[in-house]
Amino acid sequence: MFRIQECLEWGQLATFVPNKKLPVYNWFYYKEGFSRDLVLELIRMFNIKEEQTVLDPFCGVGTTLLASQESGINSIGFDVQPVSVFVSKTKTDRYDLNELKCWSKKLFSEKFEKPDISCQPPLVKKAFKKETLEDAVFFRNKIMFIPSEKTRNFLMLALMNSAVKASYIYKDGAVIKIRKKPVPPLRKFFQRTVNKMLRDLKNFQRKESKTFVDFGDARKLRIENESIDAVITSPPYLNKIEYSKVYEIEQKLFLDLFQEKPALRSYIGIDTDINEINRNLLEYSDSLPETLPPEAKPYFLDLIQVTKELYRICKKGAKLGIVTGNGCFPHTVVDSDIILCKIAKKTGFKVKKLLVLNKRWCTRDRTKKVGITRESLLLWEK
Ligand SMILES: C[S@@+](CC[C@H](N)C(=O)[O-])C[C@H]1O[C@@H](n2cnc3c(N)ncnc32)[C@H](O)[C@@H]1O
């Protein structure tokens, strides 16, 4: 039906780990991200040219967009999560270094005045030492009134990043845990982060290209028919993360006050009316296994909608690279990679190959092995 091939040597490329050492890419740690090298591999494999446009409809922290900028390719990114849109925008903007330096100097010369932190939400209060939270709120209040949006975003991202590192927050999958530990003083740490980000900007080479980032739902893209040359993306994995929960503290403390929030549902796969879901899935019933757990159905319904949208906006001959992971349930493994390829075929795409990048055990109660889950790269063409 289509070729399945192991390519385990690319396993790490499906993760954010290689980005941790890369300037600009590492301005915000995003566990759910993939690597710049995977995007560069796909740009090369798809032979994407400088005047062409790449889309990432689930852009996360902008890895596809940044790698496109480095390659001189135009790119469009959408995400439903405000933190992602903010980080992607800030990483892909082009800055006036002198203006940034001037404002950071001004910021660090401001005299500290203790802010009122009593109105902070309980989760935020628990996540920081009192002095750290006071510092964070003090700097945030100063940054909020910087007139230039770009400068404001740049400094706010530096502050957000430093504050999380100087907090008690520990992200364990979809859950935020609070672990008390010794933390570095925020002011010094923040200053170091700003200096590092300024150095990164000096060393990071972006070629001439257009980049567009905005809030948007991948199931209903604001893009013209047949206008996209390539798609490089990774949708949320089945039964994985409720993204808005994981980044709740960053959102509440640094973004809520000055960022407009979209009225979008921030998750793929949370519909509840099972009868309606079953009716809507009928058209694709031969792409879905009979053993599919009911809780997985809304997820595939949403991804059918996304696949149809991708088909609508892709030019004929467009290439798509999609990273996905299989679902682990107490009694079964759901092969999302194979199901998505079947959905793509039914929608009209040619499925060129399914490359298996990682294999892991799916376990129940941490010990009983249910089966093997794959993380795969799906290669399609319109
Ligand atoms: C696996 S992550 C993508 C990470 C990205 N490849 C990177 O390297 O940063 C999936 C992203 O999809 C976003 N998302 C979830 N539902 C969405 C929807 N309906 N439309 C657009 N984005 C959505 C999440 O907020 C998350 O950022």
Side-chain angles (χ1 to χ4, degrees):
M1 195 176 41
F2 42 79
R3 214 141 54 93
I4 300 181
Q5 195 182 316
E6 284 202 353
C7 186
L8 301 177
E9 61 278 15
W10 277 20
Q12 239 208 6
L13 299 192
T15 73
F16 194 76
V17 174
N19 288 2
K20 289 207 289 194
K21 292 202 189 92
L22 297 174
V24 188
Y25 288 89
N26 65 8
W27 283 3
F28 186 83
Y29 177 67
Y30 199 61
K31 195 165 178 276
E32 303 76 34
F34 51 37
S35 72
R36 166 218 197 214
D37 289 351
L38 181 79
V39 181
L40 292 183
E41 264 312 324
L42 288 170
I43 287 176
R44 192 191 53 76
M45 190 194 280
F46 293 166
N47 195 18
I48 307 172
K49 303 272 177 3
E50 295 205 344
E51 71 283 4
Q52 295 189 314
T53 303
V54 173
L55 166 73
D56 187 344
F58 299 99
C59 71
V61 292
T63 306
T64 298
L65 315 175
L66 266 185
S68 300
Q69 285 189 331
E70 282 195 278
S71 314
I73 292 164
N74 300 328
S75 58
I76 301 176
F78 289 110
D79 203 288
V80 284
Q81 198 193 185
V83 171
S84 298
V85 175
F86 167 73
V87 174
S88 288
K89 259 198 180 142
T90 310
K91 281 160 76 173
T92 54
D93 255 331
R94 292 167 200 248
Y95 294 92
D96 176 341
L97 261 180
N98 286 331
E99 188 184 317
L100 289 181
K101 279 184 190 158
C102 204
W103 276 105
S104 35
K105 203 166 157 203
K106 190 166 172 337
L107 183 66
F108 290 112
S109 62
E110 296 273 5
K111 196 169 166 290
F112 179 74
E113 291 151 21
K114 223 183 226 195
D116 176 15
I117 54 165
S118 60
C119 51
Q120 290 299 325
L123 179 64
V124 171
K125 277 192 195 153
K126 261 206 274 171
F128 296 94
K129 198 165 116 181
K130 185 170 160 277
E131 292 74 18
T132 311
L133 186 56
E134 284 170 349
D135 272 346
V137 172
F138 166 74
F139 282 121
R140 181 202 69 186
N141 292 350
K142 294 288 173 202
I143 294 170
M144 259 169 47
F145 291 102
I146 295 176
S148 147
E149 188 190 348
K150 280 193 198 179
T151 306
R152 210 164 55 222
N153 288 350
F154 177 89
L155 291 170
M156 198 65 93
L157 179 57
L159 178 63
M160 193 158 115
N161 209 345
S162 319
V164 170
K165 285 189 183 146
S167 73
Y168 300 140
I169 301 169
Y170 169 79
K171 289 177 184 166
D172 183 12
V175 192
I176 299 179
K177 290 188 177 156
I178 305 295
R179 277 193 192 158
K180 295 232 166 163
K181 59 173 185 190
V183 287
L186 178 61
R187 174 179 277 265
K188 250 200 190 154
F189 204 46
F190 176 33
Q191 201 155 9
R192 242 190 286 152
T193 307
V194 170
N195 290 339
K196 183 239 174 237
M197 284 170 63
L198 288 170
R199 274 198 310 279
D200 281 359
L201 283 182
K202 246 190 178 161
N203 301 329
F204 189 68
Q205 300 295 325
R206 303 176 212 257
K207 290 192 190 156
E208 197 54 46
S209 58
K210 288 188 219 131
T211 313
F212 177 82
V213 189
D214 205 354
F215 293 111
D217 187 333
R219 295 165 301 173
K220 216 170 178 355
L221 291 165
R222 280 175 283 123
I223 298 182
E224 278 180 30
N225 292 350
E226 314 217 338
S227 58
I228 297 294
D229 299 283
V231 176
I232 299 176
T233 195
S234 172
Y237 293 4
L238 178 58
N239 75 6
K240 274 281 158 71
I241 286 170
E242 206 340 348
Y243 293 88
S244 55
K245 279 264 162 281
V246 187
Y247 299 101
E248 196 180 345
I249 295 177
E250 287 90 327
Q251 179 66 43
K252 285 207 157 90
L253 186 53
F254 299 108
L255 300 181
D256 269 357
L257 285 178
F258 84 114
Q259 194 192 35
E260 260 181 55
K261 265 211 267 175
L264 292 174
R265 196 173 86 183
S266 69
Y267 187 55
I268 285 274
I270 55 168
D271 272 321
T272 42
D273 181 357
I274 193 70
N275 292 327
E276 191 173 336
I277 290 165
N278 283 336
R279 260 198 312 282
N280 291 332
L281 280 176
L282 265 182
E283 184 194 349
Y284 279 82
S285 55
D286 52 352
S287 311
L288 304 169
E290 272 169 23
T291 53
L292 191 66
E295 57 270 41
K297 288 185 176 178
Y299 175 81
F300 287 106
L301 187 59
D302 280 347
L303 285 181
I304 288 169
Q305 229 171 306
V306 173
T307 310
K308 286 182 173 171
E309 271 297 81
L310 293 180
Y311 194 79
R312 177 183 70 75
I313 54 93
C314 276
K315 289 182 186 166
K316 194 162 174 11
K319 311 267 200 310
L320 297 88
I322 294 168
V323 176
T324 189
N326 293 348
C328 175
F329 287 82
H331 298 287
T332 184
V333 166
V334 175
D335 293 334
S336 307
D337 51 359
I338 293 180
I339 298 175
L340 278 181
C341 285
K342 287 184 180 169
I343 290 172
K345 230 173 149 198
K346 185 156 182 85
T347 308
F349 286 110
K350 288 177 213 134
V351 175
K352 300 305 248 181
K353 220 185 263 181
L354 185 162
L355 290 178
V356 179
L357 308 185
N358 285 304
K359 292 200 284 189
R360 297 181 185 103
W361 279 109
C362 157
T363 53
R364 182 173 65 237
D365 306 329
R366 291 183 186 264
T367 50
K368 292 190 194 80
K369 289 178 178 164
V370 179
I372 287 179
T373 54
R374 294 182 296 267
E375 194 171 27
S376 307
L377 171 61
L378 320 178
L379 299 173
W380 305 343
E381 191 178 314
K382 177 163 170 184

